[in-house]
C-alpha cells in the first residue's frame, strides 16, 4: 500500500524472508525499487512500494509463500516467476535508478 512507511515495508519484507528461510530456502537478492505510480487504481491506491526478492526454494514451498502473500493486508499485488538460473546482476530497475543519480 502507498500509505505504509519504508520502515513498515522493511518489517513486512523481513517477515516474508523469514518464511522462506524457515522452509530451508535462500534469499539470493533483494531490491527496493521505490514508491511508484500504479498503471491503474487498485483498492483506492494510486501508488505502491515495489520490491524484488530473488529466492531459491522447493516448488511446493512456493504455494504456502504465495498464500501468505495473498492474505497480507498491506500487499496489493505480487508476481512469482520461475527462472532457471540467476546471474547475480542487479535488475534493470536499479541500474536505471543509478544512471539517473
Amino acid at each position: 500500500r502507498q500509505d505504509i512507511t519504508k520502515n513498515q515495508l522493511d518489517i513486512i519484507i523481513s517477515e516474508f524472508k523469514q518464511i522462506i528461510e524457515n522452509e530451508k530456502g535462500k534469499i539470493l537478492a533483494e531490491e527496493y525499487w521505490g514508491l511508484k505510480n500504479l498503471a491503474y487504481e487498485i483498492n483506492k491506491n494510486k501508488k505502491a512500494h515495489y520490491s524484488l526478492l530473488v529466492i531459491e526454494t522447493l516448488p511446493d514451498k512456493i504455494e504456502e509463500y504465495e498464500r501468505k502473500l495473498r492474505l497480507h493486508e498491506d500487499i496489493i499485488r505480487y508476481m512469482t516467476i520461475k527462472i532457471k538460473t540467476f546471474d547475480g546482476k542487479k535488475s534493470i530497475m536499479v541500474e536505471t535508478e543509478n544512471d539517473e543519480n
Side-chain angles (χ1 to χ4, degrees), residues 41-63:
E41 193 173 298
I42 303 171
N43 298 332
K44 299 182 182 176
N45 291 293
K46 295 180 181 181
K47 294 184 175 218
H49 293 272
Y50 283 73
S51 294
L52 169 72
L53 284 179
V54 180
I55 60 176
E56 182 179 312
T57 189
L58 298 171
D60 60 327
K61 304 299 181 189
I62 296 293
E63 288 180 31

Side-chain angles (χ1 to χ4, degrees), residues 66-77:
E66 287 181 341
R67 186 185 73 80
K68 290 181 180 177
L69 284 168
R70 268 192 310 276
L71 294 175
H72 201 284
E73 65 185 20
D74 290 324
I75 297 177
I76 299 171
R77 294 280 191 271

